Amino acid sequence: MIIVKNYISENIRKYRKLKGFTQEELACELGVTSQAVSRWEAGNGMPDISFIVPLAQNLGVTTDMLFGMSDAVYDK
């Protein structure tokens, strides 16, 4: 069993900045408020499961990358 620390808040911020989006621009793309994006990035809330795939798509990453699992090794 692999235990992976949840890096989603840090990764939302990191990939948003790499993509050149402001919090407001990302929020607009997702149909949420910029305050919601701010809470996600601060770790004071998590995006609803329905936003995970659109969030990853808008940031140009995989869902694994969004959750900090891009380098994880999986057991069969």
Side-chain angles (χ1 to χ4, degrees):
M1 181 168 105
I2 295 177
I3 299 172
V4 179
K5 182 179 175 188
N6 184 358
Y7 292 105
I8 192 164
S9 61
E10 294 96 349
N11 287 337
I12 292 171
R13 173 176 279 147
K14 177 175 88 173
Y15 294 125
R16 175 183 61 79
K17 287 184 175 188
L18 285 172
K19 197 74 171 175
F21 289 146
T22 63
Q23 288 180 341
E24 187 172 320
E25 289 169 331
L26 180 59
C28 186
E29 289 292 323
L30 296 171
V32 299
T33 65
S34 58
Q35 290 84 2
V37 174
S38 177
R39 281 193 306 272
W40 300 342
E41 290 184 357
N44 295 326
M46 294 285 290
D48 185 83
I49 190 79
S50 64
F51 288 110
I52 298 301
V53 171
L55 184 57
Q57 289 173 334
N58 276 280
L59 296 175
V61 298
T62 65
T63 54
D64 278 357
M65 291 171 69
L66 195 59
F67 282 100
M69 298 175 61
S70 60
D71 295 329
V73 177
Y74 300 97
D75 291 336
K76 290 185 179 181

Coordinates of all heavy atoms in Angstrom, one line a residue:
M1 N 0.8 -1.2 0.0 CA 0.0 0.0 0.0 C 0.9 1.2 0.0 O 1.9 1.3 0.7 CB -0.9 0.0 1.2 CG -1.8 1.2 1.3 SD -3.1 1.0 2.6 CE -2.4 2.1 3.8
I2 N 0.5 2.2 -0.8 CA 1.3 3.5 -0.9 C 0.5 4.6 -0.2 O -0.7 4.7 -0.4 CB 1.5 3.8 -2.4 CG1 2.4 2.8 -3.1 CG2 2.1 5.2 -2.5 CD1 2.6 3.0 -4.5
I3 N 1.2 5.3 0.6 CA 0.6 6.5 1.2 C 1.2 7.7 0.6 O 2.4 7.9 0.6 CB 0.9 6.5 2.7 CG1 0.3 5.3 3.4 CG2 0.4 7.8 3.4 CD1 0.6 5.1 4.8
V4 N 0.4 8.5 -0.1 CA 0.8 9.7 -0.8 C 0.2 10.9 -0.1 O -1.0 11.0 0.1 CB 0.4 9.7 -2.3 CG1 0.9 10.9 -3.0 CG2 1.0 8.4 -2.9
K5 N 1.1 11.9 0.3 CA 0.6 13.1 0.9 C -0.2 13.9 -0.2 O 0.1 13.9 -1.3 CB 1.8 14.0 1.3 CG 1.4 15.3 2.0 CD 2.6 16.1 2.4 CE 2.1 17.4 3.0 NZ 3.2 18.3 3.3
N6 N -1.3 14.4 0.3 CA -2.2 15.2 -0.6 C -1.6 16.6 -0.9 O -1.6 17.4 0.0 CB -3.6 15.3 0.0 CG -4.6 16.0 -0.9 OD1 -4.2 16.4 -2.0 ND2 -5.8 16.1 -0.4
Y7 N -1.1 16.8 -2.1 CA -0.5 18.0 -2.5 C -1.4 18.9 -3.3 O -1.0 19.8 -3.9 CB 0.7 17.8 -3.3 CG 1.9 17.1 -2.5 CD1 2.2 15.8 -2.7 CD2 2.7 17.9 -1.7 CE1 3.2 15.2 -2.0 CE2 3.7 17.3 -1.0 CZ 4.0 15.9 -1.2 OH 5.0 15.4 -0.5
I8 N -2.7 18.6 -3.3 CA -3.6 19.3 -4.3 C -3.6 20.8 -4.1 O -3.5 21.5 -5.1 CB -5.0 18.7 -4.2 CG1 -5.8 19.3 -5.4 CG2 -5.7 19.0 -2.9 CD1 -7.1 18.5 -5.7
S9 N -3.6 21.3 -2.9 CA -3.6 22.8 -2.7 C -2.4 23.5 -3.3 O -2.5 24.4 -4.0 CB -3.8 23.2 -1.3 OG -2.8 22.7 -0.5
E10 N -1.2 22.9 -3.0 CA 0.1 23.4 -3.5 C 0.1 23.3 -5.1 O 0.6 24.2 -5.8 CB 1.3 22.7 -2.9 CG 1.4 23.0 -1.4 CD 0.9 21.9 -0.6 OE1 0.1 21.0 -1.1 OE2 1.1 21.8 0.6
N11 N -0.4 22.2 -5.6 CA -0.3 21.9 -7.0 C -1.3 22.8 -7.8 O -1.0 23.2 -8.9 CB -0.6 20.4 -7.3 CG 0.6 19.6 -6.9 OD1 1.7 20.1 -6.8 ND2 0.4 18.3 -6.7
I12 N -2.5 23.1 -7.2 CA -3.4 24.0 -7.9 C -2.7 25.3 -8.1 O -2.7 25.9 -9.2 CB -4.7 24.2 -7.1 CG1 -5.5 22.9 -7.1 CG2 -5.6 25.3 -7.7 CD1 -6.7 22.9 -6.2
R13 N -2.1 25.8 -7.0 CA -1.4 27.1 -7.1 C -0.2 27.1 -8.1 O -0.1 27.9 -9.0 CB -0.9 27.6 -5.8 CG 0.0 28.8 -5.9 CD 0.5 29.3 -4.6 NE -0.7 30.1 -4.1 CZ -1.0 30.2 -2.8 NH1 -0.3 29.6 -1.9 NH2 -2.0 30.9 -2.4
K14 N 0.6 26.0 -8.0 CA 1.8 25.9 -8.9 C 1.4 25.8 -10.3 O 1.9 26.6 -11.2 CB 2.6 24.6 -8.5 CG 3.8 24.3 -9.4 CD 4.6 23.2 -8.9 CE 4.1 21.9 -9.4 NZ 4.9 20.7 -9.1
Y15 N 0.5 24.9 -10.7 CA 0.1 24.7 -12.1 C -0.7 25.9 -12.6 O -0.6 26.3 -13.8 CB -0.6 23.4 -12.3 CG 0.3 22.2 -12.0 CD1 -0.1 21.2 -11.1 CD2 1.5 22.1 -12.7 CE1 0.7 20.1 -10.9 CE2 2.3 21.0 -12.4 CZ 1.9 20.0 -11.5 OH 2.7 18.9 -11.3
R16 N -1.4 26.6 -11.8 CA -2.1 27.8 -12.2 C -1.1 28.9 -12.6 O -1.2 29.5 -13.6 CB -3.1 28.3 -11.1 CG -3.7 29.7 -11.4 CD -4.6 30.2 -10.3 NE -3.8 30.5 -9.1 CZ -3.1 31.5 -8.9 NH1 -2.9 32.5 -9.8 NH2 -2.5 31.7 -7.7
K17 N -0.1 29.1 -11.7 CA 0.9 30.1 -12.0 C 1.7 29.7 -13.3 O 2.0 30.6 -14.1 CB 1.8 30.3 -10.8 CG 1.1 31.0 -9.7 CD 2.0 31.3 -8.5 CE 1.3 32.2 -7.5 NZ 2.2 32.6 -6.5
L18 N 2.0 28.4 -13.4 CA 2.8 28.0 -14.6 C 2.0 28.2 -15.9 O 2.6 28.5 -16.9 CB 3.2 26.5 -14.5 CG 4.3 26.2 -13.5 CD1 4.4 24.6 -13.4 CD2 5.6 26.8 -14.0
K19 N 0.7 28.1 -15.8 CA -0.2 28.3 -16.9 C -0.4 29.8 -17.2 O -0.9 30.2 -18.2 CB -1.5 27.6 -16.7 CG -2.4 27.4 -17.8 CD -1.8 26.3 -18.7 CE -2.8 26.0 -19.8 NZ -2.4 25.0 -20.7
G20 N -0.1 30.7 -16.2 CA -0.2 32.1 -16.3 C -1.6 32.6 -16.0 O -2.0 33.7 -16.4
F21 N -2.4 31.8 -15.3 CA -3.8 32.2 -14.9 C -3.8 33.0 -13.6 O -3.0 32.6 -12.7 CB -4.7 31.0 -14.7 CG -5.1 30.3 -16.0 CD1 -5.3 28.9 -16.0 CD2 -5.3 31.0 -17.2 CE1 -5.7 28.2 -17.1 CE2 -5.7 30.3 -18.3 CZ -5.9 28.9 -18.3
T22 N -4.6 33.9 -13.4 CA -4.9 34.5 -12.1 C -6.0 33.6 -11.5 O -6.6 32.7 -12.2 CB -5.5 35.9 -12.2 OG1 -6.8 35.8 -12.9 CG2 -4.6 36.9 -13.0
Q23 N -6.2 33.7 -10.2 CA -7.2 33.0 -9.5 C -8.6 33.3 -10.2 O -9.4 32.4 -10.4 CB -7.3 33.3 -8.0 CG -6.1 32.7 -7.3 CD -6.2 33.0 -5.8 OE1 -6.9 33.9 -5.4 NE2 -5.4 32.3 -5.0
E24 N -8.8 34.5 -10.5 CA -10.1 34.9 -11.2 C -10.3 34.3 -12.5 O -11.4 33.8 -12.9 CB -10.2 36.4 -11.3 CG -11.5 36.9 -11.7 CD -11.6 38.4 -11.7 OE1 -11.2 39.0 -10.7 OE2 -12.2 39.0 -12.6
E25 N -9.2 34.2 -13.3 CA -9.3 33.6 -14.6 C -9.6 32.1 -14.5 O -10.4 31.6 -15.3 CB -8.0 33.8 -15.4 CG -7.8 35.2 -15.9 CD -6.4 35.5 -16.4 OE1 -5.4 34.9 -16.0 OE2 -6.3 36.4 -17.2
L26 N -8.9 31.4 -13.6 CA -9.2 30.0 -13.4 C -10.6 29.8 -12.9 O -11.3 28.9 -13.4 CB -8.2 29.4 -12.5 CG -8.3 27.9 -12.2 CD1 -8.2 27.0 -13.5 CD2 -7.3 27.4 -11.2
A27 N -11.0 30.6 -12.0 CA -12.4 30.5 -11.5 C -13.4 30.6 -12.6 O -14.4 29.9 -12.6 CB -12.6 31.5 -10.4
C28 N -13.2 31.6 -13.4 CA -14.1 31.9 -14.6 C -14.2 30.6 -15.5 O -15.3 30.3 -15.9 CB -13.7 33.1 -15.3 SG -14.8 33.6 -16.6
E29 N -13.1 30.0 -15.8 CA -13.0 28.8 -16.6 C -13.8 27.7 -16.0 O -14.4 26.9 -16.7 CB -11.6 28.4 -16.8 CG -10.8 29.3 -17.7 CD -11.3 29.3 -19.2 OE1 -11.7 28.2 -19.7 OE2 -11.2 30.3 -19.8
L30 N -13.8 27.6 -14.7 CA -14.5 26.5 -14.0 C -15.9 26.8 -13.5 O -16.6 25.9 -13.1 CB -13.7 26.1 -12.7 CG -12.3 25.6 -13.0 CD1 -11.5 25.4 -11.7 CD2 -12.3 24.2 -13.7
G31 N -16.3 28.1 -13.6 CA -17.6 28.5 -13.2 C -17.8 28.6 -11.7 O -18.8 28.3 -11.1
V32 N -16.7 28.9 -11.0 CA -16.7 29.1 -9.5 C -16.2 30.5 -9.2 O -15.8 31.2 -10.1 CB -15.8 28.0 -8.8 CG1 -16.3 26.6 -9.1 CG2 -14.4 28.2 -9.2
T33 N -16.2 30.9 -8.0 CA -15.7 32.2 -7.6 C -14.2 32.1 -7.4 O -13.6 31.1 -7.1 CB -16.4 32.6 -6.2 OG1 -16.0 31.8 -5.2 CG2 -17.9 32.7 -6.4
S34 N -13.6 33.3 -7.5 CA -12.2 33.4 -7.2 C -11.9 33.1 -5.7 O -10.8 32.6 -5.4 CB -11.6 34.7 -7.6 OG -12.3 35.8 -6.9
Q35 N -12.8 33.3 -4.9 CA -12.7 33.0 -3.4 C -12.6 31.5 -3.3 O -11.8 31.0 -2.4 CB -13.8 33.5 -2.6 CG -13.8 35.1 -2.5 CD -14.5 35.8 -3.6 OE1 -15.0 35.1 -4.6 NE2 -14.5 37.1 -3.6
A36 N -13.3 30.7 -4.1 CA -13.2 29.3 -4.0 C -11.8 28.8 -4.4 O -11.3 28.0 -3.7 CB -14.3 28.6 -4.9
V37 N -11.3 29.3 -5.4 CA -9.9 29.0 -5.9 C -8.9 29.4 -4.8 O -8.0 28.6 -4.5 CB -9.6 29.6 -7.2 CG1 -8.1 29.3 -7.6 CG2 -10.5 29.1 -8.3
S38 N -9.1 30.5 -4.2 CA -8.2 31.0 -3.1 C -8.3 30.0 -1.9 O -7.2 29.6 -1.4 CB -8.7 32.4 -2.7 OG -7.9 32.8 -1.6
R39 N -9.5 29.5 -1.6 CA -9.6 28.6 -0.5 C -8.9 27.3 -0.8 O -8.3 26.7 0.1 CB -11.1 28.3 -0.1 CG -11.7 29.4 0.7 CD -13.1 29.0 1.2 NE -14.0 28.5 0.2 CZ -14.9 29.3 -0.5 NH1 -14.9 30.6 -0.3 NH2 -15.7 28.7 -1.4
W40 N -9.1 26.8 -2.0 CA -8.4 25.5 -2.4 C -6.9 25.7 -2.3 O -6.3 24.8 -1.8 CB -8.8 25.2 -3.9 CG -10.2 25.0 -4.2 CD1 -11.2 24.7 -3.3 CD2 -10.8 25.0 -5.5 NE1 -12.4 24.6 -4.0 CE2 -12.2 24.7 -5.3 CE3 -10.3 25.2 -6.8 CZ2 -13.1 24.7 -6.4 CZ3 -11.2 25.1 -7.8 CH2 -12.6 24.9 -7.6
E41 N -6.4 26.8 -2.8 CA -4.9 27.0 -2.8 C -4.4 27.2 -1.4 O -3.3 26.8 -1.1 CB -4.5 28.2 -3.6 CG -4.7 27.9 -5.1 CD -4.3 29.1 -6.0 OE1 -3.8 30.1 -5.5 OE2 -4.4 28.9 -7.2
A42 N -5.2 27.7 -0.5 CA -4.8 27.9 0.9 C -5.0 26.6 1.7 O -4.5 26.6 2.9 CB -5.6 29.1 1.5
G43 N -5.6 25.6 1.2 CA -5.8 24.4 1.9 C -7.0 24.5 2.9 O -7.2 23.7 3.8
N44 N -7.8 25.5 2.7 CA -9.0 25.7 3.6 C -10.3 25.1 3.0 O -11.3 25.3 3.5 CB -9.2 27.2 3.8 CG -8.1 27.8 4.6 OD1 -7.5 27.2 5.4 ND2 -7.8 29.1 4.3
G45 N -10.1 24.4 1.9 CA -11.2 23.7 1.3 C -10.7 22.9 0.1 O -9.5 23.1 -0.3
M46 N -11.5 22.0 -0.3 CA -11.1 21.1 -1.5 C -12.1 21.3 -2.6 O -13.3 21.5 -2.3 CB -11.2 19.7 -1.0 CG -10.1 19.3 0.0 SD -8.5 19.2 -0.6 CE -8.6 17.8 -1.6
P47 N -11.7 21.2 -3.8 CA -12.6 21.3 -4.9 C -13.6 20.1 -4.8 O -13.2 19.0 -4.5 CB -11.8 21.2 -6.2 CG -10.4 21.0 -5.7 CD -10.3 21.1 -4.3
D48 N -14.8 20.3 -5.2 CA -15.8 19.2 -5.3 C -15.2 18.2 -6.4 O -14.6 18.6 -7.3 CB -17.1 19.8 -5.8 CG -18.2 18.7 -5.8 OD1 -18.8 18.4 -4.8 OD2 -18.5 18.2 -6.9
I49 N -15.6 16.9 -6.2 CA -15.1 15.9 -7.1 C -15.4 16.2 -8.5 O -14.6 15.9 -9.4 CB -15.6 14.5 -6.6 CG1 -14.9 13.4 -7.4 CG2 -17.1 14.4 -6.8 CD1 -13.6 13.1 -6.8
S50 N -16.5 16.9 -8.8 CA -16.9 17.2 -10.1 C -16.0 18.2 -10.8 O -16.0 18.3 -12.0 CB -18.4 17.7 -10.2 OG -18.5 18.9 -9.5
F51 N -15.2 18.9 -10.0 CA -14.2 19.8 -10.6 C -12.8 19.3 -10.9 O -12.0 20.0 -11.5 CB -14.1 21.1 -9.7 CG -15.3 21.9 -9.7 CD1 -16.1 22.0 -8.5 CD2 -15.7 22.7 -10.8 CE1 -17.2 22.8 -8.5 CE2 -16.8 23.5 -10.7 CZ -17.6 23.5 -9.6
I52 N -12.5 18.1 -10.4 CA -11.2 17.6 -10.5 C -10.7 17.4 -12.0 O -9.7 17.9 -12.3 CB -11.0 16.2 -9.8 CG1 -11.3 16.4 -8.3 CG2 -9.6 15.6 -10.0 CD1 -10.4 17.4 -7.6
V53 N -11.5 16.8 -12.8 CA -11.1 16.6 -14.2 C -11.1 17.9 -14.9 O -10.1 18.3 -15.6 CB -12.0 15.6 -14.9 CG1 -11.7 15.5 -16.4 CG2 -11.8 14.2 -14.3
P54 N -12.1 18.8 -14.9 CA -12.0 20.1 -15.5 C -10.9 21.0 -15.0 O -10.2 21.7 -15.8 CB -13.4 20.8 -15.2 CG -14.3 19.7 -14.9 CD -13.4 18.6 -14.3
L55 N -10.6 20.9 -13.7 CA -9.5 21.6 -13.1 C -8.1 21.1 -13.7 O -7.3 22.0 -14.2 CB -9.4 21.4 -11.6 CG -8.4 22.2 -10.8 CD1 -8.5 23.7 -11.0 CD2 -8.6 21.8 -9.3
A56 N -7.9 19.8 -13.8 CA -6.7 19.3 -14.4 C -6.6 19.7 -15.9 O -5.5 20.1 -16.3 CB -6.7 17.8 -14.2
Q57 N -7.7 19.6 -16.6 CA -7.7 20.0 -18.0 C -7.3 21.4 -18.2 O -6.5 21.8 -19.1 CB -9.1 19.7 -18.6 CG -9.3 18.2 -18.8 CD -10.8 17.9 -19.3 OE1 -11.7 18.7 -19.0 NE2 -10.9 16.8 -19.9
N58 N -7.9 22.3 -17.4 CA -7.6 23.7 -17.5 C -6.2 24.1 -17.2 O -5.6 25.0 -17.7 CB -8.6 24.6 -16.7 CG -9.9 24.8 -17.4 OD1 -10.0 25.7 -18.2 ND2 -10.9 24.1 -17.1
L59 N -5.6 23.3 -16.3 CA -4.2 23.5 -15.8 C -3.2 22.8 -16.7 O -2.0 22.9 -16.6 CB -4.0 23.1 -14.4 CG -4.9 23.9 -13.4 CD1 -4.7 23.4 -12.0 CD2 -4.4 25.4 -13.4
G60 N -3.7 21.9 -17.6 CA -2.9 21.2 -18.6 C -2.1 20.1 -17.9 O -0.9 19.8 -18.3
V61 N -2.7 19.5 -16.9 CA -2.0 18.4 -16.2 C -2.9 17.2 -16.1 O -4.1 17.3 -16.3 CB -1.5 18.8 -14.8 CG1 -0.5 20.0 -14.9 CG2 -2.7 19.2 -13.9
T62 N -2.4 16.1 -15.6 CA -3.2 14.9 -15.4 C -3.8 15.0 -14.0 O -3.3 15.8 -13.1 CB -2.4 13.6 -15.5 OG1 -1.4 13.6 -14.4 CG2 -1.8 13.4 -16.8
T63 N -4.8 14.2 -13.7 CA -5.4 14.2 -12.3 C -4.3 13.7 -11.3 O -4.3 14.1 -10.2 CB -6.7 13.4 -12.2 OG1 -6.5 12.1 -12.8 CG2 -7.8 14.1 -13.0
D64 N -3.5 12.7 -11.8 CA -2.5 12.2 -10.9 C -1.5 13.3 -10.5 O -1.1 13.4 -9.4 CB -1.7 11.1 -11.6 CG -2.4 9.7 -11.5 OD1 -3.4 9.6 -10.8 OD2 -1.8 8.8 -12.0
M65 N -1.1 14.2 -11.5 CA -0.2 15.3 -11.2 C -0.8 16.2 -10.2 O -0.2 16.8 -9.4 CB 0.2 16.0 -12.5 CG 1.1 15.1 -13.4 SD 1.3 15.9 -15.0 CE 2.3 17.3 -14.6
L66 N -2.1 16.5 -10.4 CA -2.8 17.4 -9.5 C -2.8 16.9 -8.1 O -2.6 17.7 -7.2 CB -4.3 17.5 -10.0 CG -5.1 18.7 -9.5 CD1 -4.5 20.0 -9.8 CD2 -6.5 18.6 -10.0
F67 N -2.9 15.6 -7.9 CA -2.9 15.1 -6.5 C -1.4 14.7 -6.1 O -1.3 14.1 -5.0 CB -3.7 13.8 -6.5 CG -5.2 14.1 -6.4 CD1 -6.0 14.1 -7.5 CD2 -5.7 14.5 -5.2 CE1 -7.4 14.4 -7.4 CE2 -7.1 14.8 -5.0 CZ -7.9 14.8 -6.2
G68 N -0.4 15.1 -6.9 CA 0.9 14.9 -6.5 C 1.4 13.4 -6.5 O 2.3 13.0 -5.8
M69 N 0.8 12.7 -7.5 CA 1.0 11.2 -7.6 C 1.8 10.9 -8.9 O 1.8 9.7 -9.2 CB -0.3 10.5 -7.5 CG -1.0 10.6 -6.2 SD -2.6 9.8 -6.1 CE -2.1 8.1 -6.4
S70 N 2.3 11.9 -9.6 CA 2.9 11.6 -10.9 C 4.1 10.7 -10.8 O 4.4 10.0 -11.7 CB 3.3 12.9 -11.6 OG 4.2 13.6 -10.8
D71 N 4.8 10.7 -9.7 CA 6.0 9.8 -9.5 C 5.7 8.6 -8.6 O 6.6 7.8 -8.3 CB 7.1 10.6 -8.9 CG 7.6 11.7 -9.8 OD1 7.5 11.6 -11.0 OD2 8.0 12.8 -9.3
A72 N 4.5 8.3 -8.3 CA 4.2 7.2 -7.4 C 4.3 5.9 -8.2 O 4.1 5.8 -9.4 CB 2.7 7.3 -6.9
V73 N 4.7 4.9 -7.5 CA 4.8 3.5 -8.0 C 3.6 2.7 -7.5 O 3.4 2.7 -6.3 CB 6.1 2.9 -7.7 CG1 6.2 1.4 -8.2 CG2 7.3 3.7 -8.2
Y74 N 2.9 2.1 -8.4 CA 1.7 1.4 -7.9 C 1.9 -0.1 -7.8 O 2.6 -0.7 -8.7 CB 0.5 1.6 -8.9 CG 0.2 3.1 -9.0 CD1 0.7 3.9 -10.0 CD2 -0.6 3.7 -8.1 CE1 0.4 5.2 -10.1 CE2 -0.9 5.0 -8.2 CZ -0.4 5.8 -9.2 OH -0.7 7.1 -9.3
D75 N 1.4 -0.7 -6.8 CA 1.5 -2.2 -6.7 C 0.4 -2.8 -7.5 O -0.7 -2.2 -7.7 CB 1.2 -2.6 -5.2 CG 2.4 -2.2 -4.3 OD1 3.5 -2.1 -4.8 OD2 2.1 -2.1 -3.1
K76 N 0.6 -4.0 -8.0 CA -0.4 -4.7 -8.8 C -1.5 -5.3 -7.9 O -1.3 -5.6 -6.8 CB 0.2 -5.8 -9.6 CG 1.1 -5.2 -10.7 CD 1.5 -6.3 -11.6 CE 2.4 -5.8 -12.7 NZ 2.9 -6.7 -13.6

